[in-house]
Amino acid sequence: MKDQILIKATDMFLTLGFKSVTMDDIAAEMGISKKTIYQHYSNKDELVEASTMHLFETISCGIDHICNLGNNPIEELFLIKDFVMKNLKNENALPIHQLQKYYPKIHKTLMLRQFDKMGNCVVDNLLKGIEQGLFRKEINAPLIARFYFAGMTSLKDTEIFNPELFASKELQIAYLEYHLRGICTQKGIQKLEQLL
């Protein structure tokens, strides 16, 4: 039952927002009592933290799987983008905004874990791209990885990227293209053009 609660809560948090969804909402959606939820999670903060970490682990495992498929680094980034967006329900900005505002400690922990995971993944991707002649050899991989992470993170800032003006999917594709055009060799640009 604990796993079922976690899965349902995660789905609802991603769809409606971490603050918007109450324990009553989760209980009603599952057809169980709130008391049943509290037998497994002592409070909403604990459930929010469990949900974010569960989602982080799910996405991390999926990214690891994609990185082991042997695709070229440009295709790999597109596959990762699609996988992450699917698991984050096309990245509705409201849940991230609410997580940051109402659960700042959980948000900070998540951001640090994401940076650690994504930073290493992007550095590996960059080095592989340099080795394959798709990315310029003179780029500073650790620095570019940080630029990439900072940019991806800022896409969720609704004050900069108003969701009424910029659809999440369009933002993700535009940012990925922006990133790749800045680091690709001519050979890499040709691969990129095939994917756009």
Side-chain angles (χ1 to χ4, degrees):
M1 178 57 70
K2 185 173 185 173
D3 289 344
Q4 292 170 307
I5 293 167
L6 182 62
I7 290 165
K8 178 52 75 177
T10 302
D11 181 61
M12 291 178 74
F13 290 148
L14 286 175
T15 305
L16 304 169
F18 287 94
K19 178 69 174 170
S20 304
V21 174
T22 66
M23 298 297 250
D24 285 318
D25 294 334
I26 297 165
E29 184 71 22
M30 294 186 70
I32 60 174
S33 70
K34 203 161 59 166
K35 182 180 175 186
T36 303
I37 296 174
Y38 286 119
Q39 288 173 344
H40 300 284
Y41 299 97
S42 60
N43 55 47
K44 185 177 173 188
D45 286 12
E46 187 179 321
L47 182 54
V48 167
E49 183 173 16
S51 293
T52 57
M53 294 308 130
H54 167 73
L55 187 60
F56 172 79
E57 291 302 327
T58 299
I59 290 173
S60 292
C61 289
I63 289 171
D64 288 343
H65 173 73
I66 290 167
C67 290
N68 290 326
L69 292 175
N71 290 302
N72 77 56
I74 296 170
E75 292 169 331
E76 186 175 276
L77 287 175
F78 275 90
L79 290 170
I80 289 170
K81 175 198 63 74
D82 290 343
F83 175 78
V84 170
M85 287 189 71
K86 178 182 171 205
N87 279 275
L88 294 180
K89 308 233 179 247
N90 288 324
E91 261 192 70
N92 172 0
L94 176 67
I96 297 298
H97 175 71
Q98 287 188 358
L99 185 66
Q100 184 175 12
K101 184 173 181 178
Y102 299 105
Y103 303 94
K105 286 182 181 177
I106 296 170
H107 180 263
K108 175 113 176 147
T109 300
L110 179 63
M111 292 303 292
L112 291 172
R113 291 189 72 189
Q114 283 179 332
F115 174 73
D116 186 47
K117 176 67 181 177
M118 191 172 165
N120 292 332
C121 177
V122 174
V123 168
D124 291 346
N125 179 276
L126 291 167
L127 295 176
K128 190 164 53 170
I130 291 167
E131 184 181 300
Q132 293 179 17
L134 298 173
F135 300 155
R136 293 181 291 116
K137 64 180 182 232
E138 70 275 5
I139 63 173
N140 179 334
L143 180 62
I144 298 298
R146 282 173 168 73
F147 285 162
Y148 187 69
F149 180 78
M152 290 298 286
T153 303
S154 72
L155 294 181
K156 299 169 191 146
D157 186 331
T158 56
E159 290 180 23
I160 297 172
F161 298 103
N162 183 334
E164 293 177 15
L165 300 175
F166 305 104
S168 181
K169 187 173 182 176
E170 291 171 37
L171 277 175
Q172 297 287 333
I173 292 169
Y175 184 71
L176 184 54
E177 181 181 357
Y178 175 81
H179 167 71
L180 288 168
R181 287 193 184 277
I183 62 172
C184 278
T185 61
Q186 190 58 41
K187 179 181 173 184
I189 294 291
Q190 290 170 351
K191 292 276 187 197
L192 174 61
E193 295 289 347
Q194 293 170 2
L195 293 170
L196 292 175

